[in-house]
Amino acid sequence: MKVNLVDCMSNNKKLLEQTWRWYGPDDPVSLDDVKQAGATGIVTALHHIPHGAPWPLEDILERKRIIEDAGLRWTVVESVPVHEEIKTWGPLANQYIENYRTTLGNLSKCGITTVCYNFMPVLDWTRTRLDLPMPNGARALYYDKVDLAVFDLFILCRAGAEFDHTPELLAKAEQRWEGLSEEEKIDLERTILMGIPGEENIGLEALRASIDVYKAVGKEGLKTHLFKFLDAIADVCEEGEIKMTVHPDDPPFPILGLPRIISTLEDLQELITKEPRVFNGICFCTGSLGAGPQNDLPKIFEQVGHRVYFAHLRNVKRDESGSFYEADHLDGDVNMYRVMSSIVTENQRRDQPIPFRPDHGHQMLDDLNKTTNPGYSAIGRLRGLAELRGLELGILGA
Ligand code: DNO
């Protein structure tokens, strides 16, 4: 008799949905690769559509067809980007909100109802190095506070930057800047300004201009805009049964003088208290939150887990200065066993399984010789997914 180990071990308990971020038909990691890795759900977005433009129904249906033809399911949209006009509440905010509502309505018509977005000003996630060698030869993404200060002070030349770094950091940054070659300077600039694959990088001039705009908006202003945005899409979400999941700030502290509003337990509590409607949820990204020394991940999940509709599971290792690199999924400062235990418990209360994806992975083995999307090569994520799946089954018990 054939015994299905997963059914047998999970003891009829509910399993999380294993998903995988796929950047679309141009992603060097194919849908067949995803199936071999063992994921069943796809997390993707229509990256060819410019930020802020509405997503046509036909384009969504076409992407859905490609995914389903491969025997997979489009589980989460990551992301429908929130246009800067909305974040800063510029003169075109209402127009972009209308477009956003159209996109959400179209997604719902196609049965795709979990949507990830972020409210980070200008830059999405930020790293200073994409190939930090690990002792085992793999390569990891790295955020070095000194390099960030070098960029801020000497490349961006942001007015007032010197007041945002400690004297110790200023001294280290100056010393490092003097030792950098021209090529290293260009590389640092490119890494920090890098957008997500398939999307355009921002230029230094545009970044400076945005920083000025956000200076006027401030932290409270940005929060107000987030709640106005949520209020303006609430009816479409409720009618279309859309669940919105905000991605935490990465890293979860202010950089380059830009405000941050989704970095801590308090931020997340405020988010779901001030907008308590059920559509307003969280993407629990353990790597982003985990980079903040103030964040106790199992405790955060305990408090806001009922509003987590999507999880990004990865790990980080911080040093005492606040710099961090992306560690193996079960290694690092995030206690993944405790986090997974809480998610698994919460999942038993749900009608729909909580989707998670192995977030990022080391560039390793054969991928070291390939051009891959930073953080999104196949083998490191395959390893992460295998480890996380084993952890889940181990927690569920035989
Ligand atoms: C990085 C990702 C982020 C995330 C967005 C969500 O690897 O986790 O780019 O997709 O912030 O809007």
Side-chain angles (χ1 to χ4, degrees):
M1 193 183 63
K2 220 171 137 198
V3 175
N4 181 329
L5 181 66
V6 169
D7 288 346
C8 171
M9 282 194 65
S10 62
N11 209 359
N12 289 328
K13 289 189 186 132
K14 295 176 194 163
L15 294 170
L16 301 167
E17 182 171 359
Q18 297 161 27
T19 69
W20 186 277
R21 189 178 203 172
W22 181 62
Y23 281 106
D26 294 336
D27 193 326
V29 182
S30 70
L31 290 176
D32 284 340
D33 297 340
V34 176
K35 274 196 293 191
Q36 290 184 20
T40 52
I42 289 294
V43 174
T44 195
L46 302 185
H47 297 287
H48 60 278
I49 297 188
H51 280 204
W55 294 10
L57 197 60
E58 310 76 64
D59 292 41
I60 301 171
L61 284 172
E62 170 62 2
R63 181 62 59 86
K64 190 176 176 225
R65 185 194 58 73
I66 295 172
I67 294 169
E68 289 177 357
D69 282 355
L72 296 159
R73 180 176 102 87
W74 187 352
T75 308
V76 180
V77 181
E78 180 174 351
S79 309
V80 180
V82 180
H83 195 273
E84 285 296 305
E85 277 290 298
I86 299 178
K87 292 179 186 169
T88 59
W89 218 267
L92 300 178
N94 287 328
Q95 184 186 316
Y96 283 108
I97 295 250
E98 256 335 292
N99 293 352
Y100 208 97
R101 289 168 56 89
T102 305
T103 299
L104 293 179
N106 286 347
L107 285 167
S108 163
K109 282 186 198 138
C110 300
I112 305 158
T113 54
T114 305
V115 173
C116 182
Y117 71 102
N118 72 71
F119 229 73
M120 286 180 255
V122 209
L123 300 170
D124 196 323
W125 59 318
T126 305
R127 295 291 180 275
T128 57
R129 189 167 172 189
L130 306 175
D131 60 353
L132 184 76
M134 297 284 97
N136 66 5
R139 295 190 175 253
L141 306 186
Y142 184 42
Y143 180 95
D144 181 340
K145 279 210 158 170
V146 179
D147 279 338
L148 201 282
V150 165
F151 172 80
D152 197 9
L153 293 157
F154 304 112
I155 298 179
L156 184 63
C157 305
R158 178 172 65 91
E162 61 279 18
F163 303 113
D164 286 350
H165 304 284
T166 60
E168 195 195 348
L169 201 53
L170 289 176
K172 281 191 186 156
E174 204 170 324
Q175 203 184 7
R176 183 154 314 161
W177 171 248
E178 274 156 19
L180 287 184
S181 66
E182 281 316 303
E183 204 183 315
E184 285 167 329
K185 289 176 189 170
I186 292 170
D187 211 43
L188 178 63
E189 175 178 329
R190 198 184 314 117
T191 303
I192 293 179
L193 298 181
M194 198 187 63
I196 69 165
E199 297 183 6
E200 261 179 45
N201 294 357
I202 187 174
L204 282 178
E205 255 328 300
L207 179 58
R208 281 187 204 107
S210 281
I211 289 172
D212 279 345
V213 173
Y214 278 103
K215 214 186 268 172
V217 170
K219 187 170 171 176
E220 286 313 309
L222 188 60
K223 269 192 206 169
T224 306
H225 301 163
L226 170 61
F227 288 111
K228 277 168 88 167
F229 163 69
L230 290 171
D231 189 50
I233 59 167
D235 60 328
V236 187
C237 293
E238 290 188 328
E239 268 159 41
E241 297 185 6
I242 297 261
K243 296 260 184 356
M244 295 298 293
T245 69
V246 72
H247 188 282
D249 303 322
D250 184 359
F253 41 78
I255 55 168
L256 309 176
L258 292 164
R260 291 296 214 199
I261 56 171
I262 305 286
S263 295
T264 62
L265 171 61
E266 294 68 32
D267 292 340
L268 292 170
Q269 279 172 324
E270 185 177 359
L271 171 82
I272 58 175
T273 314
K274 282 207 179 142
E275 178 44 86
R277 283 173 279 190
V278 172
F279 81 88
N280 177 29
I282 294 164
C283 166
F284 192 70
C285 178
T286 57
S288 304
L289 291 167
Q294 76 279 12
N295 289 335
D296 173 344
L297 279 281
K299 183 169 161 217
I300 296 181
F301 193 87
E302 230 169 72
Q303 303 291 315
V304 302
H306 58 291
R307 279 304 174 81
V308 168
Y309 305 138
F310 181 34
H312 286 178
L313 301 181
R314 71 177 162 85
N315 224 316
V316 283
K317 186 83 198 143
R318 298 183 303 264
D319 68 19
E320 56 300 327
S321 76
S323 302
F324 61 89
Y325 67 86
E326 298 192 355
D328 282 320
H329 291 76
L330 303 190
D331 202 3
D333 294 322
V334 175
N335 185 331
M336 200 56 84
Y337 171 79
R338 287 190 53 210
V339 167
M340 183 61 99
S341 301
S342 311
I343 299 180
V344 161
T345 304
E346 174 63 24
N347 196 43
Q348 305 313 306
R349 301 187 192 112
R350 303 284 179 101
D351 294 334
Q352 299 296 323
I354 302 172
F356 80 92
R357 63 178 181 82
D359 195 15
H360 302 183
H362 287 167
Q363 193 180 358
M364 61 196 293
L365 306 178
D366 220 29
D367 281 338
L368 287 167
N369 307 313
K370 293 183 185 166
T371 306
T372 58
N373 288 325
Y376 290 94
S377 52
I379 304 171
R381 283 189 292 162
L382 183 149
R383 173 179 169 176
L385 180 59
E387 291 185 348
L388 292 164
R389 183 196 295 135
L391 182 61
E392 181 192 6
L393 287 177
I395 288 168
L396 282 171

